[in-house]
Amino acid sequence: MPVSRIIPDLKSTSLGPAKAFYTQVLGLQVVMDHGWIVTLADPERPHVQLSLMTHDATAPVVPVASIQVDDVEASYQAARAAGAEIVHELTEEPWGVRRFFVRDPDGHVINILAHD
């Protein structure tokens, strides 16, 4: 289950000002904008990313981080075997990811995903 990237997800009540802050203060660029989630990246190192979210389009909560893995099915099975709480079941999303949300032992909700 190799991890290929980890992206912090920040809950935002106002995406416009938040986008402006991170682009102006840190020089990040918008690389994805679905209206409810915006992902920004460093133009020199595109794997350095941050997501801002007002809500999640299909899940009940905004996760604190998104972790991309090579095999999301194996990660899902490992989470279930560990007895972890699955907050959002393994789902094929219309924007091209397969993902699930799991709660860690400290109560943080993590989005574990793989791109199709």
Side-chain angles (χ1 to χ4, degrees):
M1 292 176 275
V3 172
S4 50
R5 68 183 174 147
I6 299 174
I7 303 166
D9 297 321
L10 303 180
K11 188 167 187 174
S12 174
T13 57
S14 183
L15 287 178
K19 280 194 294 189
F21 174 83
Y22 286 102
T23 57
Q24 293 170 5
V25 174
L26 297 175
L28 299 177
Q29 293 179 340
V30 174
V31 294
M32 180 186 76
D33 187 341
H34 287 294
W36 56 273
I37 181 172
V38 174
T39 300
L40 302 113
D42 183 316
E44 300 295 319
R45 296 171 296 156
H47 62 282
V48 176
Q49 296 183 347
L50 170 72
S51 287
L52 308 168
M53 301 174 70
T54 57
H55 66 286
D56 192 286
T58 64
V61 298
V62 171
V64 297
S66 294
I67 300 176
Q68 184 177 340
V69 295
D70 289 343
D71 186 345
V72 71
E73 182 69 38
S75 294
Y76 178 76
Q77 293 304 327
R80 294 196 58 84
E85 177 188 353
I86 304 299
V87 178
H88 178 65
E89 285 295 328
L90 187 59
T91 305
E92 186 81 30
E93 301 291 5
W95 53 90
V97 299
R98 188 162 161 77
R99 69 182 184 151
F100 70 98
F101 287 12
V102 62
R103 191 176 311 276
D104 80 2
D106 290 313
H108 304 289
V109 176
I110 307 298
N111 174 23
I112 300 179
L113 67 111
H115 285 271
D116 291 337

